[in-house]
């Protein structure tokens, strides 16, 4: 496939995916309307916010394909990198706290709390992976790479 075809297919996929994310928001809203259970409500709210975030990221990808290119310059990274490194350390602390909390629950049969803590751990790990991947992007940039 030629680059133009690839870009068109990617844009088409992002637009389709955004429709699916919108359907997810509608679906979670329906569930939220029908339940007062705090566990179910919390999970549906998490999924709903994630779908909204995904829609936003897909929109950024679409914008980069259709309207204007997006870039990340060494100057962008230089001015904030110390803050990002600090934030990465915060994320690592949250992972340790989640792991300690899960360890404390071992054998307790507190399945709902364990379920929610496992979610928190995975989300904090995701944040760490995002920041570490951003560090890899930075390390591949001139003058860093």
């Amino acid at each position: 496939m030629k680059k133009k075809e690839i870009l068109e297919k990617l844009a088409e996929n992002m637009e389709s995916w955004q429709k699916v994310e919108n359907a997810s928001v509608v679906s979670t809203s329906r569930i939220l309307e029908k339940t007062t259970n705090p566990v179910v409500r919390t999970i549906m709210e998490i999924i709903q916010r994630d779908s909204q975030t995904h829609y936003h990221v897909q929109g950024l990808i679409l914008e980069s394909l259709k309207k204007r290119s997006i870039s990340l310059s060494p100057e962008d990274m230089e001015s904030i990198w110390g803050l990002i490194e600090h934030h990465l350390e915060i994320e690592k602390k949250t992972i340790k706290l989640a792991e300690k909390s899960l360890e404390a629950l071992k054998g307790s049969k507190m399945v709902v709390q364990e379920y929610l803590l496992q979610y928190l751990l995975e989300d904090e790990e995701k944040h760490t992976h995002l920041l570490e991947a951003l560090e890899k992007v930075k390390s591949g940039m001139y003058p860093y790479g």
Side-chain angles (χ1 to χ4, degrees):
M1 246 192 294
K2 295 184 179 178
K3 187 171 183 175
K4 183 179 179 191
E5 293 170 324
I6 292 169
L7 296 177
E8 288 171 355
K9 184 64 177 167
L10 182 56
E12 180 183 312
N13 286 344
M14 289 301 105
E15 289 166 346
S16 295
W17 197 350
Q18 282 188 312
K19 290 176 185 171
V20 173
E21 294 296 355
N22 281 336
S24 176
V25 170
V26 170
S27 176
T28 54
S29 293
R30 285 188 194 127
I31 296 166
L32 286 165
E33 288 172 5
K34 294 196 177 278
T35 187
T36 58
N37 181 280
V39 175
V40 174
R41 289 189 64 80
T42 298
I43 298 305
M44 291 303 109
E45 289 165 355
I46 289 166
I47 292 169
Q48 192 173 70
R49 279 192 298 276
D50 282 355
S51 290
Q52 291 165 338
T53 299
H54 299 167
Y55 186 95
H56 174 73
V57 172
Q58 293 150 359
L60 180 60
I61 293 168
L62 270 169
E63 184 179 327
S64 76
L65 298 171
K66 291 186 166 190
K67 295 180 183 173
R68 64 180 173 92
S69 64
I70 53 176
S71 65
L72 183 61
S73 72
E75 293 78 23
D76 294 329
M77 301 300 272
E78 182 180 342
S79 65
I80 54 151
W81 196 252
L83 295 170
I84 290 175
E85 288 177 324
H86 175 72
H87 190 80
L88 181 58
E89 292 308 311
I90 292 170
E91 295 293 344
K92 289 178 180 179
K93 287 178 185 176
T94 63
I95 289 171
K96 287 179 184 172
L97 288 168
E99 290 171 340
K100 285 180 184 179
S101 298
L102 281 166
E103 183 64 30
L105 283 181
K106 275 198 175 168
S108 70
K109 299 189 186 206
M110 297 176 70
V111 294
V112 173
Q113 291 81 358
E114 188 174 346
Y115 169 69
L116 294 171
L117 284 167
Q118 188 62 46
Y119 155 73
L120 290 171
L121 173 60
E122 291 169 10
D123 212 44
E124 298 299 350
E125 288 172 338
K126 177 184 76 174
H127 298 166
T128 300
H129 294 303
L130 282 169
L131 293 171
E132 288 172 344
L134 186 58
E135 186 172 24
K136 288 179 185 174
V137 169
K138 176 186 171 259
S139 69
M141 298 170 74
Y142 176 84
Y144 306 109

